[in-house]
Amino acid sequence: MTIFSLNKRFWHSILFLLILLCSGINYQQTLADAIDTKDRQLVELVQAKYGSRAARRVIDWRLLIHRALSEKWSHKQILDATNNFFNRLIYIEDVQLWGKSNYWASPVEFLGAGGGDCKSFSIAKYFTLREMGISDESLRLIYVKAVRFNRFHMVVADYATPTSMPVILDNIDPVIKPANLRTDLVPVYSFNGSHLWLMKAKGQGQLAGSSDRLSLWSDLQTRINAQNMNKPILNLDN
């Protein structure tokens, strides 16, 4: 698909959206009509599983990705928009939301629930950045020790080049900063879709094999590929 056709489809969708808005037709149905068939099917699944507010969040997410691709956003625009979009959601511990001490929610489950813990924020950002065209080699999910809270935490790192200082996307500190300015975070290990690294500093770390060694990561990918969505034990939309 060419950039021209992406732009054309995006602006046709926006025009269609405006026409329907002016005609007073249901807003959520209107938004759903502005995305493609595959995304509409996903929204229908989310609507049935989690309800209308969750469906609206998924529509907004899909429109964000379509807009980034059709308007050819810069790398910085993509990072800022993705970080801001997900940081609006509610922070809540896994045991309260999912009834488990450690659960890695998919982006759709995170949006469906309307909240999650640091892993949910980071995983959703990682997969969204990948969809927007950021390469897997540029990204890492980093497990850190958050010194201020004396607890483990997860963030997303983006490397402009393989040897450059990464910038950190985080739900604790919403401002994207270089890793050397995040002295409140001590890296433990990192991974992406291909590899797992043991971290010794704010940089690259030591390669420790395939990310498939992480069972929760493998379980998450299986769930995403099968479009399986678990339902939380707590409804944050009530």
Side-chain angles (χ1 to χ4, degrees):
M1 183 176 291
T2 66
I3 294 300
F4 176 77
S5 62
L6 275 172
N7 271 315
K8 188 176 180 182
R9 189 180 70 175
F10 174 75
W11 287 113
H12 280 177
S13 297
I14 294 299
L15 179 61
F16 180 60
L17 175 63
L18 291 173
I19 291 171
L20 289 179
L21 278 173
C22 292
S23 67
I25 294 176
N26 178 275
Y27 181 58
Q28 182 161 305
Q29 181 59 46
T30 301
L31 285 173
D33 289 338
I35 56 181
D36 62 28
T37 301
K38 184 180 175 184
D39 285 345
R40 275 202 295 276
Q41 290 172 345
L42 175 63
V43 170
E44 289 170 4
L45 288 174
V46 170
Q47 168 90 32
K49 188 84 174 185
Y50 303 99
S52 58
R53 293 182 66 181
R56 170 61 191 276
R57 288 191 289 269
V58 170
I59 291 170
D60 290 342
W61 174 50
R62 301 315 303 169
L63 287 173
L64 179 77
I65 294 172
H66 287 303
R67 191 176 169 206
L69 294 172
S70 64
E71 296 182 0
K72 295 182 67 176
W73 283 358
S74 68
H75 199 95
K76 185 177 185 308
Q77 280 180 295
I78 287 173
L79 294 182
D80 287 340
T82 300
N83 200 45
N84 293 336
F85 179 84
F86 287 106
N87 280 350
R88 295 177 304 176
L89 274 72
I90 298 169
Y91 179 89
I92 183 170
E93 298 290 337
D94 283 342
V95 69
Q96 293 175 270
L97 187 61
W98 299 102
K100 298 178 180 179
S101 60
N102 192 11
Y103 184 72
W104 290 22
S106 70
V108 174
E109 288 174 321
F110 180 42
L111 290 165
D117 75 351
C118 58
K119 302 182 297 294
S120 300
F121 282 87
S122 296
I123 289 166
K125 290 173 187 177
Y126 168 81
F127 280 104
T128 300
L129 293 171
R130 292 287 291 116
E131 274 206 76
M132 288 180 173
I134 306 294
S135 71
D136 200 37
E137 291 73 24
S138 299
L139 297 174
R140 290 192 191 177
L141 288 152
I142 302 185
Y143 214 59
V144 300
K145 183 75 176 288
V147 176
R148 197 169 104 204
F149 299 98
N150 191 30
R151 61 182 302 167
F152 290 106
H153 179 56
M154 186 180 282
V155 298
V156 179
D158 174 74
Y159 293 77
T161 71
T163 57
S164 63
M165 180 64 66
V167 294
I168 302 299
L169 286 72
D170 188 6
N171 64 294
I172 290 179
D173 185 342
V175 179
I176 298 175
K177 297 174 181 172
N180 61 337
L181 298 183
R182 295 300 308 273
T183 55
D184 57 320
L185 304 178
V186 178
V188 180
Y189 70 84
S190 68
F191 61 97
N192 61 15
S194 306
H195 300 295
L196 169 68
W197 293 268
L198 299 178
M199 304 293 287
K200 291 183 177 178
K202 303 285 184 183
Q204 292 290 319
Q206 180 181 357
L207 188 63
S210 167
S211 54
D212 290 339
R213 292 178 59 186
L214 300 170
S215 60
L216 288 170
W217 177 247
S218 297
D219 175 64
L220 167 66
Q221 291 189 308
T222 300
R223 221 175 318 125
I224 290 175
N225 292 334
Q227 284 201 328
N228 288 336
M229 295 175 278
N230 289 322
K231 195 168 182 178
I233 61 172
L234 183 66
N235 187 345
L236 298 177
D237 285 330
N238 279 343

